[in-house]
Amino acid sequence: MSSPRIASPPGLTGAAFATLLLIAFMMGANHVAARTAFNHGLDVVTAVTVRSGVTACVVALILWQQKVAFRVKPGQRKYLGAVGLLIAVQSVCLYSAVARLPVALALLAFNTYPLTTALWAKILYGHQPERAVLWAMPVMMAGLALALDVLGAASGLGAARHWGEIGAGVGFALAASTTFGLALVLTQHETVGVDGRLRTFTTMATVGVLAASVALTQGGFQWPQAVPGWWGLALLTFLYGTAFTIMFTVLPKLGVVSNSAIMNVEPVFALVLAWALLGQAIAPMQLLGAAVVVSAVLWLGLRKP
């Protein structure tokens, strides 16, 4: 997990830039694969269970291979558990949004998390939002309003019918943004010194266990009912786990932080892939709104401290 405001290091190499774009592509493709699986019978909780469980196993192998010590201060354990719970909620909410909205729009609504992060930092720790964040807020909200077609003009349905169709998906995406923002703030303030690989393992393991528990209490796992759904599940698991593995093995060697703002172009990749593979298209005005949101998030992340 990461802070939404990390400046890219000077002299970003071509290999590092390409790796960051590859991670963004895989994260966007992961959500397109998820939508394919959802369209063929897979349920959200099963997807989160498989994805998180496999990723936790991969990270555990990295910890073992690199001989990372499992050192956590007693006071940090409860916060690691809290972060795991929040990421579990965030994962379910985001996939629920992807299942209900065009993939790119779900990710755009989720990408408001820099704003929710600033809000939680203000509420919990009294941190005043930076001026850049305050300037970005109305810009991002205006862009999101265009992207979501809040008045229903692009859809031709009118506001009431349009929100009847997208309201639940938007709500899930914003809930994912809110819980992710809180997880980021707790991570930054309460888990200082915990190795990033260890933190990721505990988070993914917690998410996997919680999701599996929910699935079992709701009658068991709901698997895909057709071959494309199984391919979607396999791909979303592979893409998500591979992206996380690259974050913690390749990027450190390139001297690049794993959460560079360059990876916030994920919705752009998702937009193109969803159009090409799922036939999801959005109106030109919505494309303009998407460009505004992505540009604002990139500006927040790439600006100099």
Side-chain angles (χ1 to χ4, degrees):
M1 288 178 307
S2 53
S3 165
R5 182 189 176 282
I6 297 290
S8 289
L12 191 65
T13 66
F17 184 78
T19 303
L20 292 169
L21 287 181
L22 175 62
I23 293 173
F25 172 81
M26 287 191 293
M27 286 299 192
N30 145 64
H31 289 99
V32 174
R35 179 59 182 263
T36 301
F38 298 149
N39 288 346
H40 290 87
L42 181 72
D43 77 324
V44 169
V45 176
T46 301
V48 173
T49 301
V50 174
R51 181 202 74 177
S52 302
V54 171
T55 303
C57 291
V58 171
V59 178
L61 288 174
I62 294 173
L63 291 171
W64 174 75
Q65 192 271 332
Q66 298 180 353
K67 297 180 173 58
V68 177
F70 280 64
R71 294 195 183 98
V72 178
K73 297 177 182 178
Q76 293 178 325
R77 291 173 185 168
K78 63 179 181 181
Y79 288 105
L80 287 174
V83 168
L85 174 60
L86 288 168
I87 296 301
V89 174
Q90 176 261 331
S91 299
V92 170
C93 287
L94 183 53
Y95 271 173
S96 296
V98 167
R100 291 167 171 81
L101 294 173
V103 177
L105 297 186
L107 295 179
L108 284 170
F110 169 68
N111 264 26
T112 58
Y113 70 80
L115 307 186
T116 62
T117 301
L119 177 62
W120 283 117
K122 167 68 174 176
I123 293 172
L124 297 178
Y125 299 99
H127 291 182
Q128 293 298 326
E130 296 180 42
R131 181 173 296 181
V133 175
L134 295 176
W135 278 105
M137 281 183 183
V139 175
M140 290 179 66
M141 290 299 99
L144 189 60
L146 288 174
L148 294 176
D149 184 27
V150 294
L151 298 179
S155 67
L157 299 175
R161 286 182 59 194
H162 182 62
W163 277 96
E165 292 188 357
I166 72 168
V170 173
F172 277 119
L174 294 179
S177 172
T178 302
T179 50
F180 189 60
L182 179 54
L184 290 179
V185 170
L186 292 180
T187 298
Q188 180 180 356
H189 289 87
E190 307 296 348
T191 66
V192 177
V194 178
D195 187 282
R197 294 159 294 182
L198 178 57
R199 186 172 63 235
T200 299
F201 167 72
T202 59
T203 299
M204 289 295 100
T206 301
V207 172
V209 170
L210 290 174
S213 301
V214 171
L216 293 175
T217 59
Q218 294 182 344
F221 299 107
Q222 296 182 28
W223 302 103
Q225 302 300 310
V227 172
W230 285 103
W231 275 110
L233 176 59
L235 283 172
L236 76 88
T237 303
F238 169 78
L239 291 165
Y240 189 85
T242 302
F244 261 85
T245 301
I246 292 174
M247 283 184 189
F248 292 104
T249 57
V250 178
L251 287 184
K253 296 178 182 178
L254 294 173
V256 183
V257 290
S258 63
N259 53 353
S260 171
I262 294 171
M263 291 190 295
N264 285 314
V265 299
E266 174 188 346
V268 177
F269 286 121
L271 177 66
V272 174
L273 289 170
W275 168 76
L277 300 177
L278 301 177
Q280 293 181 351
I282 61 178
M285 190 60 68
Q286 292 177 286
L287 285 172
L288 175 62
V292 170
V293 174
V294 172
S295 297
V297 173
L298 284 172
W299 176 71
L300 279 177
L302 293 174
R303 75 193 190 281
K304 294 181 179 180

